């Protein structure tokens, strides 16, 4: 029986620069196959060629043994290949049901949409995979994690034989991810083939059957996941041994720099009290909807205050808007760097200087020399890989984009750093570099509040963890009390 999908000798160059060289891949029915590689390895180019988004320069693609060529994603869908992309693209003002079945709505007489049937079949689809979302919810009212689940449900609704999942859990907590893994197990039993792209190595080893590694645009190796260790896979991805994933060299001090008492906000934060000390990395952990992001939004002045107090170095702080937080030395790296962290059409230099325009300008005119020097210093300090600071930030890898977001805030020398999913969609090598930056900031006396959906990340980096549930504190754990089991026990 031929494989569901077989690719050989796939190559693609952009403006004469190779992005993919002799890529190959084989997907069997009833299996999950991990496509592994760091940022810039060629994975995205490979997937876009398979989906008909990019033309290939050379190579063959076979579907069930027959050579195929797709000129757009619609043709790929008609041939049973669906993709859930990392970058979400919902229509915010439409319902979940309308987004999932857009252009495929059940119709009544005179071409009118049968909304009752539409909502019913959507709810059956969502319930069938354990996704706790209502078909009639507006997309604009959903969290990033819920939006991710809707995009996954949309791909599953096509009943495709080949399903590509590109970083599907990047916005999901561990409990929500389990619903996805259950859905994947169901799809395997139905004979589907899944291409799974993730930087979370724990997922690769828990749910995939086979792996293929790309590096620097080239096929490196494939095999059975059970036959390779985590350390061996990391070395294949990075091209060198990576002795330790986490970098943690900070030691918390005794001085309290932030004290929160009875904090409430218009959404997601009901009654929360905690302290943050200098040199400390404080983790916030919880399931989807627990209020983690909402806490950071409130501390940064992005949500309406309804009660409680915030003290900075013992003095009450009135943080009504982000400018108040910035003036108080608080910086915020949001969970969606492309939507709220960067101006994608602007250059690396412009993005790095966004938060420090006041210091780098005189009478409203930017001082070019200081701007260039500041950007160059941050590029060197954070090891941002960019051919030039004049390069559009959209052209950087995910890891380097995240470093630009961090650099933007370090330009104002903050005292407190709020991090929401700081390594989302970042490869294992870039993750380690970001951990180094976080650790160095705390070691120098800065204080960090870090939200992460990955328990391994919390266990590896946090000095202390507050577990949230329904906007309140469900528990607090010191570093010597931390375990994945205890985190999930409190969160659930």
């Amino acid at each position: 029986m031929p494989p569901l999908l077989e690719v050989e000798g796939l190559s693609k160059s952009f403006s004469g620069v190779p992005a993919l060289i002799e890529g190959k891949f084989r997907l069997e029915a009833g299996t999950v196959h991990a496509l592994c590689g760091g940022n810039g390895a060629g994975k995205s180019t490979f997937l876009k060629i398979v989906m008909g988004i990019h033309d290939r320069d050379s190579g063959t693609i076979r579907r069930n043994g027959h050579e195929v060529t797709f000129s757009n994603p619609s043709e790929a869908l008609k041939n049973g290949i669906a993709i859930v992309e990392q970058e979400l693209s919902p229509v915010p003002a439409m319902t979940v049901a309308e987004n999932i079945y857009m252009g495929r709505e059940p119709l009544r007489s005179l071409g009118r949409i049968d909304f009752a049937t539409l909502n019913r079949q959507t709810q059956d689809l969502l319930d069938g995979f354990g996704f706790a979302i209502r078909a009639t919810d507006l997309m604009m009212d959903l969290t990033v994690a819920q939006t991710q689940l809707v995009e996954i449900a949309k791909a599953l609704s096509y009943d495709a034989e080949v399903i590509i999942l590109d970083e599907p859990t990047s916005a999901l907590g561990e409990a929500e991810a389990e619903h996805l893994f259950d859905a994947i197990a169901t799809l395997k039993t139905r004979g589907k083939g899944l291409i799974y792209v993730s930087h979370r190595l724990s997922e690769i080893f828990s749910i995939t059957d086979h792996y293929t590694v790309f590096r620097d645009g080239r096929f490196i190796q494939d095999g059975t996941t059970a036959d390779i260790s985590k350390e061996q896979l990391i070395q294949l991805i990075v091209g060198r041994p990576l002795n330790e994933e986490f970098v943690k060299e900070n030691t918390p001090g005794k001085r309290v720099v932030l004290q929160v008492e009875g904090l409430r906000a218009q959404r997601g934060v009901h009654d929360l009290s905690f302290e943050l000390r200098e040199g400390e990395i404080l983790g916030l952990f919880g399931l989807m909807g627990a209020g983690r992001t909402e806490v950071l939004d409130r501390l940064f002045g992005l949500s309406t205050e309804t009660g409680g107090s915030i003290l900075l170095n013992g003095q009450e702080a009135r943080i009504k808007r982000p400018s108040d937080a910035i003036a108080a030395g608080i910086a915020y790296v949001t969970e969606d760097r492309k939507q709220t962290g960067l101006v994608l059409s602007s250059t690396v230099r412009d993005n790095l200087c966004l938060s420090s325009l006041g210091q780098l300008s005189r009478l409203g005119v930017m001082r070019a020399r200081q701007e260039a020097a500041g950007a160059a210093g941050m590029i060197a300090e954070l090891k941002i890989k960019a051919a030039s600071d004049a390069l559009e930030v959209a052209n950087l890898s995910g890891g380097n984009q995240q470093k630009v977001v961090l650099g933007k805030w370090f330009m104002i020398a903050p005292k407190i750093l709020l991090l929401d999913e700081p390594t989302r969609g970042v490869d294992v090598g870039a993750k380690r570099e970001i951990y180094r930056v976080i650790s160095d900031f705390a070691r120098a006396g800065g204080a960090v509040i870090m939200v992460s959906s990955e328990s391994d990340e919390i266990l590896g980096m946090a000095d202390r963890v507050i577990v949230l549930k329904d906007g309140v504190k469900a528990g607090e754990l010191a570093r010597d009390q931390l375990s994945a089991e205890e985190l999930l026990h409190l969160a659930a």
Side-chain angles (χ1 to χ4, degrees):
M1 184 176 178
L4 293 179
L5 182 71
E6 187 173 21
V7 180
E8 292 181 338
L10 209 61
S11 298
K12 177 68 176 177
S13 295
F14 296 96
S15 301
V17 179
L20 185 64
I21 305 167
E22 296 291 319
K24 73 172 188 174
F25 191 89
R26 181 185 175 97
L27 178 67
E28 303 287 351
T31 66
V32 182
H33 195 129
L35 179 58
C36 307
N39 295 115
K43 304 188 305 296
S44 294
T45 301
F46 173 83
L47 295 177
K48 286 178 179 177
I49 293 173
V50 169
M51 289 302 300
I53 298 171
H54 289 330
D55 295 327
R56 60 183 181 267
D57 295 338
S58 62
T60 58
I61 301 174
R62 296 186 185 90
R63 175 83 173 87
N64 288 328
H66 302 289
E67 189 168 342
V68 293
T69 299
F70 306 134
S71 57
N72 56 62
S74 296
E75 292 182 4
L77 268 175
K78 289 176 183 176
N79 278 270
I81 305 177
I83 186 170
V84 180
E85 296 188 85
Q86 182 180 354
E87 306 305 331
L88 308 178
S89 55
V91 181
M94 296 176 70
T95 67
V96 170
E98 289 167 337
N99 268 267
I100 289 177
Y101 287 101
M102 192 183 305
R104 303 178 291 145
E105 302 90 346
L107 302 177
R108 302 175 65 182
S109 59
L110 303 177
R112 292 177 298 175
I113 295 174
D114 185 347
F115 284 102
T117 301
L118 173 66
N119 292 333
R120 184 173 61 254
Q121 71 184 32
T122 303
Q123 198 62 59
D124 288 345
L125 174 70
L126 295 167
D127 293 344
F129 288 106
F131 297 166
I133 302 169
R134 292 191 300 269
T136 53
D137 287 341
L138 290 176
M139 295 300 298
M140 67 176 68
D141 295 330
L142 302 185
T143 64
V144 173
Q146 289 172 321
T147 303
Q148 184 81 289
L149 291 177
V150 171
E151 290 290 321
I152 291 166
K154 183 176 181 178
L156 298 178
S157 73
Y158 286 97
D159 197 31
E161 274 195 314
V162 176
I163 301 169
I164 302 168
L165 299 176
D166 189 0
E167 296 287 354
T169 62
S170 62
L172 303 184
E174 294 189 7
E176 298 81 37
E178 286 300 324
H179 290 307
L180 173 62
F181 300 154
D182 289 341
I184 288 173
T186 300
L187 291 168
K188 283 179 62 177
T189 63
R190 297 177 185 175
K192 310 294 186 185
L194 296 100
I195 300 176
Y196 196 86
V197 181
S198 178
H199 291 309
R200 297 182 177 182
L201 298 182
S202 60
E203 295 176 359
I204 289 172
F205 283 96
S206 64
I207 69 167
T208 70
D209 305 292
H210 306 285
Y211 70 90
T212 292
V213 176
F214 286 179
R215 188 175 70 241
D216 298 329
R218 296 178 182 274
F219 167 84
I220 299 297
Q221 182 175 302
D222 58 11
T224 303
T225 310
D227 294 336
I228 191 170
S229 69
K230 179 180 177 181
E231 291 72 24
Q232 290 170 325
L233 185 58
I234 289 174
Q235 184 163 352
L236 288 173
I237 292 170
V238 179
R240 65 183 189 280
L242 199 61
N243 298 325
E244 189 177 350
E245 184 176 356
F246 299 102
V247 180
K248 182 170 177 61
E249 299 174 346
N250 65 297
T251 302
K254 295 182 178 180
R255 186 170 67 89
V256 174
V257 296
L258 172 69
Q259 187 173 355
V260 171
E261 295 287 348
L263 200 68
R264 293 177 173 83
Q266 198 170 41
R267 56 185 176 84
V269 188
H270 304 304
D271 184 8
L272 183 64
S273 300
F274 67 88
E275 293 180 344
L276 175 68
R277 296 174 177 84
E278 65 178 347
E280 182 180 32
I281 300 173
L282 174 65
L284 287 188
F285 187 80
L287 305 183
M288 185 172 68
R292 302 168 307 168
T293 294
E294 288 78 5
V295 171
L296 301 191
D297 284 351
R298 173 65 194 90
L299 293 175
F300 200 65
L302 287 171
S303 63
T304 305
E305 173 190 352
T306 58
S309 62
I310 299 173
L311 281 73
L312 293 170
N313 297 312
Q315 301 295 315
E316 186 165 0
R318 305 294 293 176
I319 299 176
K320 300 286 188 181
R321 57 188 65 85
S323 58
D324 298 332
I326 294 170
I330 300 175
Y332 185 12
V333 176
T334 56
E335 66 176 324
D336 191 337
R337 60 179 170 268
K338 294 196 174 183
Q339 291 293 324
T340 55
L342 299 166
V343 180
L344 293 175
S345 58
S346 289
T347 66
V348 173
R349 181 194 296 187
D350 288 344
N351 274 275
L352 284 169
C353 297
L354 269 178
S355 297
S356 51
L357 296 178
Q359 298 97 303
L360 297 172
S361 63
R362 178 178 296 164
L363 301 176
V365 178
M366 291 297 292
R367 295 185 288 177
R369 184 176 298 175
Q370 286 84 345
E371 182 186 12
M378 202 53 64
I379 288 170
E381 182 178 340
L382 300 184
K383 300 179 182 177
I384 298 170
K385 295 176 183 176
S388 163
D389 67 1
L391 186 70
E392 282 191 8
V393 77
N395 294 320
L396 298 184
S397 68
N400 284 297
Q401 286 181 346
Q402 192 72 337
K403 290 181 191 177
V404 171
V405 177
L406 287 162
K408 173 184 73 174
W409 289 117
F410 286 151
M411 291 277 284
I412 65 168
K415 301 176 181 67
I416 296 173
L417 189 59
L418 310 179
L419 301 173
D420 196 353
E421 305 288 359
T423 63
R424 179 188 175 199
V426 171
D427 70 71
V428 64
K431 271 188 177 184
R432 191 177 192 279
E433 293 176 4
I434 289 172
Y435 295 144
R436 175 188 62 79
V437 171
I438 295 170
S439 177
D440 287 349
F441 175 78
R443 186 173 60 173
V448 178
I449 301 178
M450 184 177 75
V451 167
S452 177
S453 299
E454 297 186 53
S455 59
D456 285 350
E457 188 164 79
I458 290 289
L459 295 173
M461 293 300 295
D463 298 300
R464 183 166 52 98
V465 178
I466 292 172
V467 181
L468 297 178
K469 184 177 181 180
D470 299 326
V472 299
K473 183 162 66 174
E476 183 173 328
L477 299 169
R479 184 163 179 82
D480 59 3
Q481 299 172 311
L482 290 177
S483 70
E485 294 76 16
E486 188 63 23
L487 286 174
L488 291 173
H489 171 71
L490 290 171

